[in-house]
């Protein structure tokens, strides 16, 4: 197991952003109550949302965003080489997220729509999660990533422990919170096939799950289909909704 | 003044691109002076095609995490307009409360974490911890308070959950509202007073520069417009929101992949200073008092004062939040379900004042409530031409100063417009061509 404490000094941590909305990084700045406390235990060496600076080595590198240009690929290899532990933050970095919706169209079409005749001027690739290119040690799912999970992972790594990973579906957490199931109101919710760890935050606020944390390891796809048909809802609608955050390798993850 | 100067201030923007400040002065003549933008391509319009109206705001919120609430509310307004979905007064009040919270959080973040380090002469706010810990703690406390408004009313401050077409999926409880009201009074007001003291003490660091331009914002007869109103230009007066394209007139320039905008002159400004110039008479009493203390006068033509206008707005947002909560509590929170039965289909435009300025979303829906086409015009894009023109006036005025000073003032200028956080922070990487 890897430990963040390779040096007697404070562990050096860094944050990097790739193709993203910067919401995950912002969410971290929203840790107002814990921020100063965290800063006492780590040395923040790169964090471009709030500071300027560069370093040669990172005990823990946190990556936000998906990879979608050749420059991204070079940069991530470089960061990986200089990092002891690499953590993917949020849906974009861990599963491709919302950016990967562009992959559903042929790349040539996408380039042409954006650049017209200049389509070869700015190289574009399909949007990929970080793990498609380099080894990722830990993932914090969600769009945006969940703050309690971030704290849990950071604390575990700082103590040299392996952070535990959620493995149950959103539905399990939702039922624990005794929410009224949205299917009872005829609303398509992706909770049955989506990896939990967010405390079912969306259904708890009355909104359907959009699958932002990706598929559970062994999705019981048939159960989802059963629920849909029992409720007179179309599978097509559910499939389309699933693609919101899970278009990367969509064909391999079909819920049909 | 026959100086030759080459300046290339590089900053890494979003991801699939970058932006630089480029200045070339040859024998005292300004040859080039512009903010180059190679912005990450927006695939959002393509992503939206064919999507259900239930998903539109979930997608557009992800254009920018920093402005997610603003994008979401603007998106919902455009969808509701297109599909003929009426919303209740309670929904409007709660949305206004959310906008106050988001504006407070964004303006505080910009003022303390991005602009203040310049005023204090340091590179980042964390460096202020040893010397000015109380200031940092106060900034964090105010941000938390603002974010708590978002958490309580919308479930989550970044990519809010509960605001949907036609209303809210869950409503805050009266006791939650009462608690946040108390904190606005007990923490919000004193912290705001202290913020004003802090800013007043560093006002000397605001560069003395003026360039009158056209100021465009929403404007409303009854209130300091954030949520609703007509488009108002300081040059040409009011226009209906549905005519927004007549105001933005997007055009392509060679040095920027993000389109520029112009209206009555070569450029216009949006954001806190534009709102102040157009709508200051509708600010709360406390905000007006603070403006006076911070030497912000009506018709201020110094773009560097945008940060001061943001501080003034913070006070307004605190007072407005308290007033909105009072109204909500007086009426009692009604258990309403969102109205999601379309009564028509077609085109709809939504316009909202987000922290960085006026934001437009336009959608066209088919009869099934799926998107046919979409268009978004973002505040930072509208300000780009104005930033170029400010720089063109500023550089000759300071050309005799050392290169580092020129670079610093140009960075401060760009930062004053409060473009996306990461952009403005990365303007800190200065490189001189030929050094
Ligand atoms: S996962 Fe979501 S919140 Fe995080 S960067 Fe991507 S789009 Fe933004
Ligand atoms: S609301 Fe969604 S997550 Fe909750 S129990 Fe129903 S299907 Fe599962
Ligand atoms: S409920 Fe679903 S959409 Fe919401 S945060 Fe959890 S996984 Fe994401």
């Amino acid at each position: 197991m890897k430990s963040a404490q390779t040096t007697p000094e404070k562990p050096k941590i860094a944050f990097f952003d790739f193709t993203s909305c910067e919401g995950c990084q912002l969410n971290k700045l929203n840790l107002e109550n814990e921020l100063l406390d965290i800063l006492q235990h780590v040395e923040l060496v790169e964090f471009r949302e709030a500071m300027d600076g560069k370093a040669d080595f990172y005990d823990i590198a946190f990556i936000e965003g998906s990879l979608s240009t050749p420059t991204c690929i070079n940069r991530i290899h470089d960061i990986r080489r200089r990092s002891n532990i690499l953590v993917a933050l949020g849906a974009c970095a861990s599963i491709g997220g919302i950016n990967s919706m562009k992959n559903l169209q042929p790349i040539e079409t996408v380039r042409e729509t954006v650049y017209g005749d200049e389509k070869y001027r700015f190289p574009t690739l399909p949007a990929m999660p970080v793990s498609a290119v380099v080894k990722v040690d830990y993932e914090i799912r969600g769009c945006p990533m969940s703050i309690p999970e971030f704290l849990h992972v950071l604390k575990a790594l700082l103590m040299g422990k392996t952070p535990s990973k959620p493995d149950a579906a959103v539905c399990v957490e939702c039922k624990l919170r005794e929410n009224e199931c949205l299917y009872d109101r005829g609303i398509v919710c992706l909770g049955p096939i989506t990896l939990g760890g967010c405390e079912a935050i969306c259904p708890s606020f009355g909104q359907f799950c959009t699958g932002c944390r990706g598929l559970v390891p062994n999705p019981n796809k048939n159960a989802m289909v059963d629920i849909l048909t029992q409720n007179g809802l179309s599978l097509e609608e559910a499939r389309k909704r699933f693609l919101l955050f899970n278009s990367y390798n969509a064909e391999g993850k079909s819920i049909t | 003044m026959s100086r030759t100067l080459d300046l290339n201030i590089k900053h890494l923007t979003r991801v699939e691109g970058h932006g630089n400040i480029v200045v070339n002065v040859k024998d005292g003549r300004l040859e080039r002076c512009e903010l180059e933008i190679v912005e990450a391509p927006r695939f959002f319009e393509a992503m939206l095609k064919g999507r259900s109206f239930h998903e539109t705001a979930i997608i557009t919120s992800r254009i920018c995490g920093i402005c997610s609430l603003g994008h979401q509310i603007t998106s919902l307004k455009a969808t509701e307009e297109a599909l003929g979905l009426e919303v209740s007064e309670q929904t409007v009040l709660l949305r206004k409360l959310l906008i106050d919270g988001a504006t407070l959080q964004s303006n505080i973040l910009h003022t303390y974490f991005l602009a203040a380090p310049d005023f204090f002469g340091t590179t980042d706010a964390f460096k202020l911890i040893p010397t000015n810990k109380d200031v940092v703690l106060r900034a964090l406390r105010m941000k938390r308070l603002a974010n708590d408004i978002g958490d309580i009313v919308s479930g989550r401050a970044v990519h809010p959950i509960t605001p949907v077409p036609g209303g809210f999926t869950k409503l805050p409880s009266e006791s939650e509202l009462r608690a946040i009201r108390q904190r606005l009074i007990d923490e919000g007001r004193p912290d705001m007073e202290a913020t004003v003291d802090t800013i007043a003490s560093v006002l000397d660091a605001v560069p003395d520069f003026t360039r009158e331009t056209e100021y465009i914002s929403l404007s409303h007869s009854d209130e300091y417009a954030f949520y609703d109103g007509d488009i108002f230009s300081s040059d040409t007066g009011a226009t209906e929101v549905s005519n927004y394209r007549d105001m933005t007139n997007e055009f392509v320039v060679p040095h920027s992949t993000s389109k520029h905008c112009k209206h009555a002159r070569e450029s216009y400004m949006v954001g806190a200073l534009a709102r102040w110039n157009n709508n200051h008479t509708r600010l709360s009493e406390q905000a007006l008092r603070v403006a006076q203390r911070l030497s912000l006068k009506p018709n201020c033509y110094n773009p560097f004062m945008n940060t001061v206008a943001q501080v003034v707005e913070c006070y307004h947002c605190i007072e407005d939040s308290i007033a909105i909560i009072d109204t909500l509590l007086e009426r009692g929170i009604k258990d309403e379900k969102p109205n999601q039965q379309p009564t028509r289909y077609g085109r709809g435009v939504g316009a909202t004042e987000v922290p960085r300025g006026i934001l437009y979303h336009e959608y066209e829906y088919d009869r099934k409530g799926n998107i046919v086409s979409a268009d978004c015009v973002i505040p930072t894009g509208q300000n780009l031409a104005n930033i170029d023109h400010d720089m063109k006036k500023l550089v000759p005025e300071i050309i005799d100063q050392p290169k580092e000073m020129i670079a610093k003032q140009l960075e401060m200028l760009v930062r004053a417009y409060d473009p996306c956080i990461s952009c403005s922070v990365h303007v800190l990487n200065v490189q001189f061509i030929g050094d």
Side-chain angles (χ1 to χ4, degrees):
Chain A
M1 187 203 61
K2 282 188 172 180
S3 160
Q5 292 164 320
T6 51
T7 44
E9 307 119 49
K10 287 185 193 176
K12 289 188 169 54
I13 68 167
F15 296 93
F16 300 93
D17 61 316
F18 287 79
T19 307
S20 74
C21 81
E22 286 149 50
C24 286
Q25 301 220 41
L26 180 71
N27 226 7
K28 187 169 63 263
L29 264 183
N30 288 350
L31 280 163
E32 293 90 355
N33 296 338
E34 297 85 1
L35 201 59
L36 293 191
D37 198 33
I38 295 174
L39 286 174
Q40 286 185 348
H41 295 98
V42 301
E43 189 190 341
L44 198 52
V45 288
E46 286 196 41
F47 180 12
R48 74 171 205 162
E49 262 200 342
M51 62 185 285
D52 203 23
K54 294 247 174 274
D56 299 328
F57 170 80
Y58 320 110
D59 289 290
I60 314 173
F62 290 96
I63 311 291
E64 178 194 77
S66 23
L67 311 175
S68 68
T69 65
T71 320
C72 293
I73 311 281
N74 293 338
R75 233 180 110 213
I76 195 71
H77 276 297
D78 180 51
I79 293 168
R80 177 70 265 193
R81 265 195 296 275
R82 291 186 284 133
S83 310
N84 184 26
I85 297 174
L86 190 141
V87 183
L89 281 189
C92 293
S94 53
I95 58 171
I98 203 122
N99 299 309
S100 58
M101 248 201 283
K102 81 170 189 186
N103 301 357
L104 298 177
Q105 300 178 28
I107 190 89
E108 284 297 295
T109 320
V110 170
R111 290 169 95 163
E112 264 173 36
T113 342
V114 180
Y115 302 117
D117 292 344
E118 299 260 26
K119 64 178 171 178
Y120 296 110
R121 193 165 150 196
F122 307 105
T124 300
L125 301 170
M128 291 175 280
V130 178
S131 61
V133 177
V134 297
K135 180 168 176 275
V136 170
D137 297 303
Y138 300 99
E139 283 177 352
I140 300 171
R141 302 277 183 102
C143 180
M145 64 141 188
S146 113
I147 297 186
E149 202 180 350
F150 172 73
L151 281 178
H152 165 77
V153 170
L154 182 64
K155 279 180 193 155
L157 292 176
L158 291 177
M159 290 189 296
K161 293 184 186 156
T162 307
S164 59
K165 285 183 194 168
D167 54 10
V170 171
C171 268
V172 175
E173 294 172 349
C174 189
K175 294 201 167 103
L176 277 176
R177 293 184 68 164
E178 300 180 348
N179 295 326
E180 182 203 359
C181 181
L182 289 158
Y183 279 102
D184 295 343
R185 292 181 10 216
I187 296 171
V188 175
C189 175
L190 298 181
I193 53 162
T194 302
L195 186 68
C198 58
E199 314 254 321
I201 185 169
C202 301
S204 301
F205 278 95
Q207 174 67 317
F208 51 78
C209 170
T210 51
C212 84
R213 298 176 63 91
L215 273 183
V216 274
N218 299 303
N220 189 348
K221 295 167 191 168
N222 293 333
M224 177 86 189
V225 176
D226 285 351
I227 297 174
L228 289 165
T229 32
Q230 274 164 24
N231 288 275
L233 298 163
S234 90
L235 191 60
E236 185 45 41
E237 200 184 332
R239 208 185 79 84
K240 208 172 124 194
R241 184 154 291 167
F242 178 72
L243 290 175
L244 276 172
F245 291 93
N246 296 279
S247 295
Y248 177 72
N249 265 351
E251 68 287 356
K253 288 183 180 172
S254 161
I255 59 164
T256 51
Chain B
M1 206 192 74
S2 60
R3 183 164 188 192
T4 295
L5 177 80
D6 283 325
L7 204 59
N8 187 0
I9 307 175
K10 290 208 168 174
H11 71 117
L12 220 88
T13 64
R14 309 318 256 308
V15 170
E16 288 184 292
H18 62 281
N20 312 316
I21 297 175
V22 180
V23 178
N24 296 137
V25 181
K26 204 170 178 201
D27 300 330
R29 227 183 54 245
L30 189 61
E31 293 197 322
R32 213 169 140 214
C33 180
E34 56 206 17
L35 180 61
E36 281 187 344
I37 299 281
V38 186
E39 217 180 62
R42 315 267 70 183
F43 299 104
F44 281 91
E45 286 154 26
M47 288 180 194
L48 284 166
K49 234 178 200 158
R51 283 282 161 192
S52 142
F53 75 92
H54 293 288
E55 296 165 345
T56 310
I58 294 174
I59 299 169
T60 50
S61 155
R62 270 77 186 179
I63 291 175
C64 173
I66 299 149
C67 262
S68 54
L69 189 267
H71 276 291
Q72 197 168 29
I73 300 286
T74 313
S75 177
L76 295 176
K77 283 176 63 184
T79 294
E80 287 157 0
E81 174 69 25
L83 299 177
L85 302 170
E86 298 275 338
V87 300
S88 71
E89 277 177 48
Q90 177 171 288
T91 292
V92 171
L93 283 168
L94 287 168
R95 286 182 181 173
K96 285 181 174 171
L97 180 57
L98 282 173
I99 292 176
D100 280 336
T103 308
L104 179 61
Q105 120 80 22
S106 178
N107 287 3
I108 288 290
L109 187 68
H110 176 248
T111 305
Y112 276 103
F113 287 86
L114 302 172
D118 280 333
F119 299 151
F120 283 96
T122 165
T123 52
D124 61 71
F126 300 128
K127 296 241 164 56
L128 294 174
I129 295 172
T131 48
N132 300 68
K133 193 164 180 187
D134 56 323
V135 176
V136 179
L137 286 176
R138 187 203 308 144
L140 292 172
R141 202 162 49 230
M142 294 182 82
K143 246 171 63 55
R144 187 66 261 159
L145 175 62
N147 277 326
D148 281 345
I149 297 179
D151 285 352
I152 286 162
V153 182
S154 69
R156 182 167 69 191
V158 177
H159 302 317
I161 298 167
T162 61
V164 293
F168 284 85
T169 57
K170 189 171 184 235
L171 296 160
S173 71
E174 289 177 15
S175 63
E176 284 171 321
L177 289 174
R178 226 170 268 124
I180 202 93
R181 181 189 183 278
Q182 203 55 47
R183 280 175 57 203
L184 284 161
I185 292 168
D186 296 344
E187 292 170 33
R189 281 178 179 160
D191 280 345
M192 201 57 232
E193 293 292 344
T195 301
V196 174
D197 290 341
T198 303
I199 299 300
S201 73
V202 293
L203 268 187
D204 288 348
V206 178
D208 182 19
F209 167 79
T210 56
R211 188 181 75 87
E212 190 190 344
T213 184
E214 181 182 7
Y215 299 92
I216 295 183
S217 68
L218 279 183
S219 200
H220 194 286
S221 49
D222 309 330
E223 61 195 29
Y224 190 78
F226 280 115
Y227 180 73
D228 227 344
D230 284 332
I231 309 172
F232 184 85
S233 149
S234 56
D235 281 356
T236 61
T239 312
E240 273 179 36
V241 164
S242 59
N243 300 326
Y244 79 101
R245 283 173 198 246
D246 295 341
M247 306 301 281
T248 55
N249 304 298
E250 287 185 295
F251 63 102
V252 178
V253 291
H255 66 278
S256 165
T257 52
S258 171
K259 290 173 187 162
H260 279 203
C261 292
K262 69 172 170 187
H263 178 238
R265 320 180 180 205
E266 70 280 1
S267 67
Y268 65 85
M269 183 175 184
V270 299
L273 191 67
R275 292 192 286 261
W276 160 262
N277 279 341
N278 290 348
N279 301 324
H280 59 90
T281 54
R282 290 168 209 104
L283 279 168
S284 68
E285 227 172 273
Q286 291 85 342
L288 285 169
R289 171 175 59 78
V290 166
Q292 201 169 22
R293 168 108 196 272
L294 297 178
S295 313
L296 180 67
K297 300 195 178 66
N299 298 340
C300 169
Y301 303 136
N302 180 354
F304 290 96
M305 289 295 276
N306 195 47
T307 309
V308 173
Q310 287 183 330
V311 174
V312 169
E313 284 186 340
C314 285
Y315 217 139
H316 180 81
C317 289
I318 289 179
E319 294 306 318
D320 195 51
S321 298
I322 295 170
I324 291 174
I325 295 174
D326 283 343
T327 312
L328 284 165
L329 291 175
E330 219 169 86
R331 297 176 176 198
I333 292 289
K334 293 183 212 79
D335 185 20
E336 299 171 343
K337 298 273 172 285
N339 165 21
Q340 304 198 320
Q341 297 304 320
T343 57
R344 59 171 184 259
Y345 64 95
R347 177 180 175 257
V349 180
T352 311
E353 282 291 337
V354 298
R356 287 158 194 82
I358 192 163
L359 169 68
Y360 306 100
H361 280 221
E362 179 186 7
Y363 309 123
E364 192 189 335
Y365 284 96
D366 66 15
R367 62 178 71 225
K368 284 190 185 146
N370 293 330
I371 292 222
V372 179
S373 68
D375 182 41
C376 308
V377 184
I378 291 163
T380 298
Q382 297 176 69
N383 274 332
L384 289 176
N386 209 59
I387 296 175
D388 278 1
H389 285 281
D390 278 354
M391 293 199 300
K392 284 192 180 104
K393 179 162 190 281
L394 179 62
V395 169
E397 289 177 15
I398 57 174
I399 192 71
D400 293 328
Q401 296 183 17
K403 220 170 174 182
E404 292 69 27
M405 292 297 294
I406 298 175
K408 184 171 184 234
Q409 286 178 67
L410 290 175
E411 288 165 23
M412 278 178 79
L413 175 70
V414 174
R415 203 176 287 119
Y417 279 81
D418 189 12
C420 167
I421 287 185
S422 51
C423 300
S424 64
V425 169
H426 255 253
V427 175
L428 287 167
N429 282 336
V430 185
Q431 277 181 14
F432 294 106
I433 296 175
D435 275 9

